[in-house]
Amino acid sequence: MNAQVVYATITGNNEQVADVIVDALVAANVSVKKTEISQTEADELENVDIAIVVPYTYDKGSLPDEGLDFFEDLAHDDLTGVVYGVAGSGDTYYLSDFGLAVPKFEAQFAKTGGIKGAEGVKINLSPDADDVVILNKFVSDLIQVANARH
């Protein structure tokens, strides 16, 4: 089984989220490729079993600027049979705008024919020990759904 983790980060917090996810995938013997969103074509996700996007949310619910092309292109890809999940960091200071990139990317994935494998995860700033547990469960759920597909 293989996976791709696509992340965007400014402060490094979100790369930490991506690294927790990558570590959990590796621990489960999943072959994983980690790429930065501005260096990734959305159609690369057509070639994996599990596609994970790790976007940060900034300001009042905005998507990462460097990920806008990827976001737009994603809606046009055919990810039939690909299991997807979205987890990302934000800042609870923004209240109702906290982590809005997560459901925005989930809605975009829903247009691809992919299979949602886990509920989206929103991390406040950088992942703490409790967040690592949540992210490990997120990865476990994705793997379980992907295994059921094979």
Side-chain angles (χ1 to χ4, degrees), residues 6-133:
V6 181
Y7 73 96
T9 195
I10 291 178
T11 61
N13 289 343
N14 217 40
E15 188 170 9
Q16 290 175 8
V17 174
D19 288 343
V20 170
I21 291 168
V22 167
D23 290 347
L25 288 163
V26 169
N29 294 316
V30 174
S31 173
V32 61
K33 178 180 178 183
K34 179 179 124 181
T35 59
E36 201 280 323
I37 200 164
S38 68
Q39 304 297 314
T40 308
E41 295 297 328
D43 64 3
E44 289 177 37
L45 301 181
E46 295 174 2
N47 303 314
V48 298
D49 300 305
I50 301 172
I52 303 169
V53 173
V54 186
Y56 62 85
T57 304
Y58 75 102
D59 197 32
K60 295 183 175 14
S62 298
L63 293 172
D65 283 340
E66 69 275 22
L68 293 178
D69 287 342
F70 180 93
F71 181 82
E72 293 299 324
D73 292 346
L74 183 61
H76 305 291
D77 289 328
D78 180 2
L79 299 183
T80 302
V82 175
V83 175
Y84 69 85
V86 184
S89 68
D91 188 335
T92 55
Y93 168 83
Y94 291 103
L95 303 173
S96 63
D97 292 326
F98 168 64
L100 283 182
V102 172
K104 286 179 181 179
F105 264 97
E106 286 181 321
Q108 204 70 337
F109 264 118
K111 299 173 185 176
T112 68
I115 302 151
K116 185 175 180 178
E119 287 303 312
V121 177
K122 298 177 182 180
I123 304 295
N124 184 41
L125 303 176
S126 63
D128 62 19
D130 291 337
D131 294 327
V132 170
V133 171

